[in-house]
Amino acid sequence: MNTHDPRDSYIAQVVQGRSFLEVGGLWGGVNEKVSVAYRFGARRLAIVDVAKPENQWWEFFRQRMTQMDIKNYDAYAEDICTVDSVRIGAPFDVVHCSGVLYHLPDPMRLLAVLRSITIEFCILTSVVIPEVIENEVSCYKLPPSAMVFVPALTDRERDCLKAYWRQFLGNSVAYGITDVASFSVDDFAPWWWLPTATALKAMCRSAGFQVVDSQPCWNNGALTLLLR
């Protein structure tokens, strides 16, 4: 990741004195932004993640909160797209969601849910695909409006995208890109969709958001949007 994290910058701009919900963020144990919201003065903190209660990432999260002396927060082990918004205390003034959208079979449903639980600002990050990828494997071209449906990739297309995404992933796995995956609508492990930056912004507008600002991150492999 870049040293400068636009997610932290946007949180710092809008979260003081407001309620904050983290959607996702458990993976890796250190990717959560609850602690960032706490540092910049959020008045209420909560996190919801699809990981089961017994998943090790929840324990890592609790340990991390303890280490940072963060005691007052709510945590919900549930799918944000099916959770009872009233039960989790939604809507929230500020909602943050990173690394989730492209893992879902129905990304517009996620955006609609995020819109329904957001009072003021949503900070959204997703991988984005450039309009042209050219490497030793082949050349892959897209119009600005495109969104790649990963399960439909041919072997040659996948090999081209695999070579491109290796520069961001290192030894990590992107199921469906770096490795062939089987796809099921209830499986959130694979990468399902790869939007261009133009398509991602249009999706957010279609869900009822205003795009206030955007900044590339992950060495231009992803885009962070500040949505109102």
Side-chain angles (χ1 to χ4, degrees):
M1 295 292 290
N2 295 336
T3 301
H4 168 70
D5 191 332
R7 298 172 299 178
D8 292 4
S9 298
Y10 289 144
I11 291 171
Q13 287 179 34
V14 303
V15 84
Q16 185 173 10
R18 294 182 167 101
S19 57
F20 175 86
L21 174 67
E22 167 85 285
V23 177
L26 282 189
W27 189 87
V30 296
N31 294 313
E32 55 75 28
K33 295 301 179 182
V34 173
S35 59
V36 178
Y38 173 80
R39 179 167 21 117
F40 289 108
R43 65 173 176 79
R44 180 193 169 202
L45 302 168
I47 180 172
V48 58
D49 194 286
V50 73
K52 301 297 183 184
E54 63 273 15
N55 190 292
Q56 63 177 342
W57 298 126
W58 279 115
E59 180 58 30
F60 291 160
F61 173 77
R62 289 189 289 269
Q63 291 176 3
R64 184 172 170 83
M65 293 299 100
T66 298
Q67 291 167 0
M68 296 183 176
D69 198 28
I70 301 174
K71 300 174 183 177
N72 297 318
Y73 62 87
D74 298 309
Y76 307 93
E78 298 187 45
D79 179 355
I80 188 61
C81 289
T82 59
V83 70
D84 182 345
S85 61
V86 175
R87 197 180 74 75
I88 66 172
F92 289 79
D93 297 323
V94 180
V95 175
H96 174 265
C97 182
S98 177
V100 175
L101 182 138
Y102 53 97
H103 281 287
L104 298 185
D106 188 353
M108 287 305 303
R109 183 181 181 191
L110 172 67
L111 289 174
V113 170
L114 293 179
R115 175 64 185 86
S116 72
I117 63 173
T118 299
I119 296 175
E120 294 188 76
F121 295 100
C122 179
I123 300 161
L124 176 75
T125 300
S126 173
V127 297
V128 289
I129 188 169
E131 294 166 27
V132 179
I133 295 176
E134 192 167 6
N135 53 37
E136 67 279 6
V137 178
S138 64
C139 182
Y140 193 84
K141 295 183 178 181
L142 297 163
S145 59
M147 188 170 184
V148 175
F149 184 53
V150 175
L153 291 172
T154 66
D155 290 342
R156 184 169 178 80
E157 289 171 336
R158 183 180 295 104
D159 287 344
C160 179
L161 299 190
K162 177 180 179 179
Y164 171 75
W165 249 280
R166 270 295 171 216
Q167 64 183 307
F168 309 114
L169 291 164
N171 294 324
S172 298
V173 174
Y175 292 108
I177 303 293
T178 61
D179 296 70
V180 176
S182 58
F183 290 85
S184 172
V185 292
D186 57 355
D187 186 357
F188 306 143
W191 288 20
W192 282 85
W193 299 95
L194 300 172
T196 65
T198 299
L200 180 61
K201 291 177 183 179
M203 292 166 65
C204 293
R205 294 188 186 101
S206 298
F209 286 112
Q210 172 193 353
V211 179
V212 178
D213 195 22
S214 65
Q215 293 186 44
C217 58
W218 202 25
N219 297 318
N220 295 318
L223 187 69
T224 297
L225 305 171
L226 176 62
L227 307 172
R228 187 191 295 272

